Amino acid sequence: MAEVQQNDAGGGKKGRQKKMTIRVDFTPMVDMNMLLITFFMLCTTMIKSQTLTIALPTNEKIENKENLNQASAEDAVTIILDAKRKQGSNDVDSLNGKVVPVVYYYEGKPGGDAGIIGADGKIHSENNNLKESEFLSADAKTGSARGIRELIQKRNKAVIDKINELKKKYESGGFGSLETKADREAAQAKYNEAAAQVRKDSTLSKPVIIIKSTPNASYESLINILDEMQINNISKYQIDNMTQIDSVMVLNYRGVLK
Amino acid sequence: MGRVKIAKKSTFIDMTAMSDVTVLLLTFFMLTSTFLSKEPATVITPPSVSEDKVQETNYVQVLVNPEGKIWLTMNNDTSADFGNEKMKIALLDKVTEIYNEAHKSKPVKFTDQQKYTFSKLGSFGVPMSQLGEFLNLAQEPEGQTKMDKWLDGTDDNPKHISGIPISKVQDENNLSEFQMWMKAIRQSDNSKLTDKIKDGSGVAIKADQNTSFEVIHTVMDNLQTIRMNKFTFLTALKGASE
């Protein structure tokens, strides 16, 4: 391919044709191209970042506290994020370079109805209803939820069951046919609307999740727990500051405060 | 014994086809590439199941490193009216105004040359009181390298502070410099940007996965105080099974 055959009527001797082959060696060209490709491959970002939008309440002091919706004790689940690291350092797990996350949670009031700090002002460890959990993905074999997700799914069962019903309905064509792309989009829109209705449905019992975090907890844990809210269709959750009681509960659970 | 004659064969391999392929690949990569912009801190964003893609223009990126230092990057429209350079000069004017209002005894002022340098910057993040000195570096030989080193905190001058100062004080009348910048950005003339800021996708916080909650909370709290309650976190993609 890279050769040109030239028929040249050779100079002096008659009737003789001299055949000349001109060959261009492309090897250096390929070498250079490969280097350029390597450069461009390393310099590009193919993956675009994803975004997670959150809305927080304002910091303004609320004058009229009567209008505030208080979460009832039976609906409330408080999740406290923490991490194992030395105070003020960024110690990470040597295995995968991540901070080791710790997740605590308690259902209802801190310390139950009796409260962790009794009327006598002493700490009652027996009332500490704080439990420890983990961020775990679904079980590879059975597909069932584990760790903190299991708890959230158990509490939000009514909503999740309804959403799963809707999913089945969508897949079987209950929201319109799934033949063409336009059809699918229309069906998807209907499904989204129905799902939003279910999430808002006040007749279903669903938890109010309060996310709190110690200063040590990692940013990754915060994103993880916000993900869990999305995965498990939690409609009511908030990010709140740790209270004194929460700190007492955590320290008491760790055995630091008795 | 007769000698076995080995026929002489040419070892020439025709590279033309190979060259064709590599040129095609090269063209593909050249056309699809968007260059990684240099940032003062390298962070690994945490994985999330969220599938919303980050928008290409009209957002402000707040880069937070694990020590809590902050740098801002403005990504404006590429249109002539609201191009990055024009908007950055307007931003600097606005933030100077807000800053001088709060620091009447020590006002700062920037020359046109300094403003021009600022408009060409990618990420920025030095205290207002040192910004003039920082921008003057551009006139010196190897100014870009010096500025980069100042930004990522690797230059040897202990007086040079990198990162925009931030405080934990929740007071609307006593803003931290970070809040001043964000406030100035919100007052931008680019209506597309201000709309995005309102719906939350205009402010993107990029932080490392190991950053402590304390640091993130300070940033969120600062934004809440100036009533920018909606914002986004930049995350990496995670499979649903994880």
Side-chain angles (χ1 to χ4, degrees):
Chain A
M1 270 192 274
E3 49 201 281
V4 178
Q5 286 194 344
Q6 221 175 40
N7 291 329
D8 195 321
K13 281 163 194 171
K14 47 173 181 173
R16 247 210 187 171
Q17 280 190 333
K18 210 182 192 178
K19 262 195 180 170
M20 261 177 71
T21 315
I22 303 169
R23 268 189 153 166
V24 184
D25 190 1
F26 271 95
T27 328
M29 171 87 165
V30 171
D31 287 354
M32 187 199 67
N33 280 347
M34 281 297 188
L35 280 179
L36 278 172
I37 289 175
T38 321
F39 169 74
F40 276 103
M41 273 176 78
L42 292 180
C43 284
T44 50
T45 39
M46 285 288 179
I47 311 158
K48 279 182 83 180
S49 285
Q50 260 65 28
T51 60
L52 186 76
T53 309
I54 63 159
L56 296 170
T58 53
N59 267 349
E60 288 165 68
K61 300 272 179 296
I62 295 152
E63 300 292 328
N64 195 350
K65 294 221 168 186
E66 284 166 17
N67 291 344
L68 283 179
N69 279 328
Q70 282 274 346
S72 65
E74 62 210 55
D75 289 340
V77 178
T78 307
I79 295 174
I80 300 175
L81 306 171
D82 196 8
K84 279 179 194 156
R85 55 173 135 195
K86 283 182 202 147
Q87 193 69 38
S89 78
N90 275 320
D91 275 5
V92 292
D93 183 2
S94 55
L95 278 178
N96 52 14
K98 285 180 180 175
V99 173
V100 186
V102 182
V103 191
Y104 301 112
Y105 69 91
Y106 61 84
E107 296 170 86
K109 288 181 186 166
D113 286 328
I116 185 151
I117 298 174
D120 52 357
K122 282 186 185 143
I123 295 171
H124 293 269
S125 299
E126 70 276 9
N127 286 340
N128 195 343
N129 56 355
L130 196 73
K131 294 184 193 81
E132 196 173 333
S133 186
E134 273 176 287
F135 285 118
L136 284 175
S137 57
D139 194 287
K141 277 180 191 156
T142 59
S144 57
R146 296 180 298 173
I148 195 80
R149 193 179 296 174
E150 192 187 356
L151 166 86
I152 300 172
Q153 284 194 356
K154 203 174 78 198
R155 293 296 303 253
N156 204 27
K157 197 169 183 305
V159 174
I160 290 175
D161 284 351
K162 280 257 167 119
I163 297 266
N164 283 341
E165 267 172 41
L166 288 178
K167 257 184 208 157
K168 271 191 194 132
K169 193 177 162 193
Y170 169 79
E171 275 158 18
S172 62
F175 287 105
S177 84
L178 305 170
E179 292 293 316
T180 66
K181 200 181 171 217
D183 283 349
R184 270 200 301 277
E185 272 166 16
Q188 183 80 43
K190 275 186 198 160
Y191 163 76
N192 287 345
E193 202 179 308
Q197 284 285 331
V198 170
R199 281 186 211 115
K200 275 186 213 152
D201 192 348
S202 55
T203 56
L204 299 171
S205 85
K206 56 191 171 202
V208 175
I209 295 189
I210 302 153
I211 300 164
K212 295 180 179 182
S213 185
T214 66
N216 273 343
S218 71
Y219 173 51
E220 196 193 8
S221 297
L222 180 69
I223 298 290
N224 268 339
I225 201 75
L226 291 174
D227 267 355
E228 292 297 334
M229 301 296 116
Q230 205 179 341
I231 293 169
N232 300 313
N233 294 299
I234 300 289
S235 54
K236 282 186 177 172
Y237 61 91
Q238 63 178 95
I239 301 173
D240 209 344
N241 295 330
M242 293 269 283
T243 60
Q244 202 181 352
I245 297 288
D246 293 328
S247 309
V248 170
M249 298 257 290
V250 171
L251 290 176
N252 180 257
Y253 181 86
R254 282 202 210 131
V256 180
L257 211 65
K258 284 192 179 109
Chain B
M1 288 281 274
R3 262 190 211 158
V4 182
K5 264 197 179 172
I6 302 167
K8 263 194 183 172
K9 271 185 189 165
S10 163
T11 51
F12 193 90
I13 302 167
D14 191 8
M15 280 287 174
T16 333
M18 180 78 167
S19 170
D20 287 352
V21 174
T22 51
V23 169
L24 277 180
L25 270 173
L26 185 57
T27 320
F28 169 74
F29 277 108
M30 276 176 76
L31 292 180
T32 54
S33 69
T34 43
F35 281 98
L36 285 170
S37 50
K38 197 188 171 300
E39 289 180 333
T42 319
V43 299
I44 303 168
T45 51
S48 152
V49 291
S50 173
E51 282 169 358
D52 303 330
K53 291 264 187 260
V54 65
Q55 51 198 28
E56 277 168 12
T57 52
N58 291 323
Y59 75 98
V60 180
Q61 182 184 294
V62 183
L63 178 69
V64 186
N65 83 346
E67 281 86 51
K69 284 185 179 172
I70 291 171
W71 296 270
L72 294 175
T73 317
M74 238 185 149
N75 292 291
N76 268 299
D77 246 59
T78 42
S79 65
D81 284 351
F82 302 119
N84 245 343
E85 285 157 25
K86 198 181 165 191
M87 294 312 294
K88 287 261 279 290
I89 292 180
L91 168 69
L92 187 60
D93 284 340
K94 203 148 266 170
V95 81
T96 311
E97 196 183 299
I98 300 175
Y99 181 84
N100 287 348
E101 188 67 32
H103 300 79
K104 285 197 174 109
S105 56
K106 270 188 180 175
V108 291
K109 205 168 178 292
F110 299 102
T111 61
D112 285 349
Q113 178 66 49
Q114 286 169 334
K115 282 179 192 169
Y116 175 76
T117 311
F118 183 76
S119 75
K120 296 281 178 199
L121 286 179
S123 304
F124 52 93
V126 289
M128 285 298 278
S129 52
Q130 297 186 347
L131 191 56
E133 192 192 332
F134 174 76
L135 294 174
N136 283 341
L137 279 181
Q139 309 308 319
E140 291 179 21
E142 287 181 45
Q144 191 58 48
T145 319
K146 283 181 189 166
M147 282 161 93
D148 283 348
K149 278 193 167 174
W150 184 336
L151 271 187
D152 58 29
T154 49
D155 72 347
D156 298 326
N157 194 335
K159 274 185 198 158
H160 290 173
I161 299 167
S162 71
I164 295 172
I166 186 166
S167 78
K168 287 185 183 173
V169 185
Q170 289 184 6
D171 184 0
E172 249 196 295
N173 302 315
N174 183 12
L175 296 178
S176 68
E177 283 189 28
F178 170 64
Q179 286 168 318
M180 288 177 188
W181 281 103
M182 294 313 286
K183 228 178 161 174
I185 287 168
R186 194 173 50 182
Q187 290 167 11
S188 148
D189 296 328
N190 184 350
S191 61
K192 282 186 200 150
L193 175 64
T194 46
D195 285 351
K196 291 285 178 198
I197 288 176
K198 254 178 222 156
D199 79 19
S201 54
V203 180
I205 296 176
K206 185 176 183 182
D208 193 83
Q209 53 186 5
N210 291 334
T211 311
S212 67
F213 180 74
E214 196 178 11
V215 167
I216 295 294
H217 188 243
T218 313
V219 176
M220 296 199 309
D221 210 49
N222 265 264
L223 289 171
Q224 270 175 282
T225 308
I226 54 166
R227 298 198 192 84
M228 286 168 98
N229 303 319
K230 270 184 147 187
F231 40 82
T232 55
F233 293 125
L234 285 188
T235 57
L237 189 65
K238 173 161 82 169
S241 59
E242 278 181 64

